[in-house]
Structures are given as C-alpha cells and as structure tokens.
Amino acid sequence: DDAPDVYGLITGVGSVATAFHMANVLAFNTYDVVLNIGLAGAFNRNLSLGDVLEVNSDCFADLGAVDHERFLSLIDLGLMSPDEFPYTNGQLVPPPVNGLPTGLKRASSITVNSVHGDVRGIEAVQKQFPADLESMEGAAFFYAALFKGIPCVQIRAVSNYVEPRNRDAWEIKLALSNLWDAVRMIIGNC
C-alpha cells in the first residue's frame, strides 16, 4: 500500500495555540510535509466565498507597537531585520513542496490576533500589509515549519469578506465543504 501516513493535529484558534502545538509536536516527531488547513477572510473581492487557495506568503500583521495612530512592526521598531531567518523581506515564504502540487490558486495572507471588522482598521492594515487573506494561525504555522526546515503548505478556504462584521454574509458551511474536498484531492495525489 503506497498511501501516505496522515496524522491530524487540531491546534485550536489563534497564533499562540498554533505556535505551542506546532512546537510541541515538531519537537518529538518528524514529517515529510506538514499541511495547515483552515478558513480565512478575504480582503480581495475578486475571490469568491468558498474559494480554496494555497497561501504563498504570510506575516504577523499585529506584532509590534502602536505609536499614536501608526502601527510599527518589529522591523519598523528595529527589533528584527526583514530577512532575519525564517523571514524573506518581512514575509514567511515557504518554498514549493516537491511532489505535492495542490493545483490551487495562490494567495498572500496576514495573520492577526483580532480579525478586522471596522472600516478604518481594514484600510490601515491593507495599506501597511497588502494581502488577499486574513487568518489567525497561518504565520505561526509557517514560522514553526520553516524554522524546523520541514516542507509546509497552508490551505485556506474563504468563509467571509473582511468588512464591518456581518455574520449573515458568512459562508462557513460552503468554505468547509470546499476545503475538505481540496484536502482529499491533495492527499489523494500523494
């Protein structure tokens, strides 16, 4: 039987839980590839609710300091260089994983501790960190995998647009259904 061994890890919501559980499992196990799956909000209105995308870059968009009305990243504060490992120009950018083509459109993302839900906050974060998507875990996943040198892929399904909070417009069931279809296809191609 040539089917891959697949192990699941539910890290929970947010970058703190993701960082902890990734560090814990990667300290005691080795993997050929790690796959992060989840939902995301879309800044990019050319994306449709339910679209499933492969994230090709991510960053922590709220790790830093607020100086009056301006947000300062760790790079802005001089606490980190933009190319400090595992970053590339301030972004976490995994190399393509050989033998694991997802066939999905690629998208950029940001990771935040509090998702955006007001016009001013959305405009400010998009100006400083232009991205297609927003999640609460992706950069923590990339950081852990890249730091350990493990090939990694992040897959996100769009459940909502990043806009003033409007739960009636969310498509979580559609996004989850499409996400599981994509994951089955990806794992089936291994």
Side-chain angles (χ1 to χ4, degrees):
D1 188 353
D2 290 340
D5 290 333
V6 177
Y7 302 93
L9 172 67
I10 298 171
T11 63
V13 177
S15 59
V16 172
T18 299
F20 171 79
H21 290 292
M22 287 290 295
N24 192 43
V25 76
L26 295 179
F28 301 105
N29 301 281
T30 57
Y31 300 97
D32 295 326
V33 64
V34 290
L35 179 68
N36 175 255
I37 62 172
L39 301 181
F43 292 107
N44 184 342
R45 292 296 182 125
N46 292 320
L47 299 173
S48 297
L49 298 182
D51 280 356
V52 182
L53 305 130
E54 179 179 348
V55 174
N56 59 359
S57 68
D58 208 325
C59 71
F60 295 100
D62 59 4
L63 182 58
V66 175
D67 183 5
H68 300 281
E69 305 240 346
R70 183 171 172 236
F71 175 77
L72 302 172
S73 71
L74 295 183
I75 295 167
D76 297 329
L77 292 166
L79 298 175
M80 168 183 130
S81 79
D83 293 309
E84 182 175 313
F85 182 79
Y87 293 89
T88 302
N89 197 27
Q91 297 285 314
L92 295 159
V93 183
V97 176
N98 292 330
L100 191 67
T102 66
L104 300 171
K105 288 192 300 184
R106 294 173 186 250
S108 58
S109 188
I110 62 170
T111 296
V112 293
N113 286 296
S114 296
V115 294
H116 291 87
D118 72 273
V119 173
R120 280 186 33 209
I122 294 165
E123 289 172 353
V125 78
Q126 275 291 269
K127 183 176 180 184
Q128 189 164 4
F129 299 99
D132 297 307
L133 305 174
E134 171 181 82
S135 82
M136 297 178 74
E137 301 84 16
F141 166 77
F142 275 166
Y143 187 93
L146 289 168
F147 211 90
K148 294 290 282 185
I150 299 170
C152 58
V153 177
Q154 180 184 166
I155 307 297
R156 294 280 166 180
V158 177
S159 61
N160 60 282
Y161 292 112
V162 180
E163 61 188 2
R165 199 161 175 82
N166 178 10
R167 291 187 67 140
D168 292 336
W170 295 0
E171 290 288 348
I172 292 176
K173 287 182 182 179
L174 173 64
L176 285 173
S177 176
N178 292 351
L179 180 64
W180 286 119
D181 288 345
V183 169
R184 280 192 288 276
M185 183 270 305
I186 293 165
I187 291 173
N189 288 337
C190 290

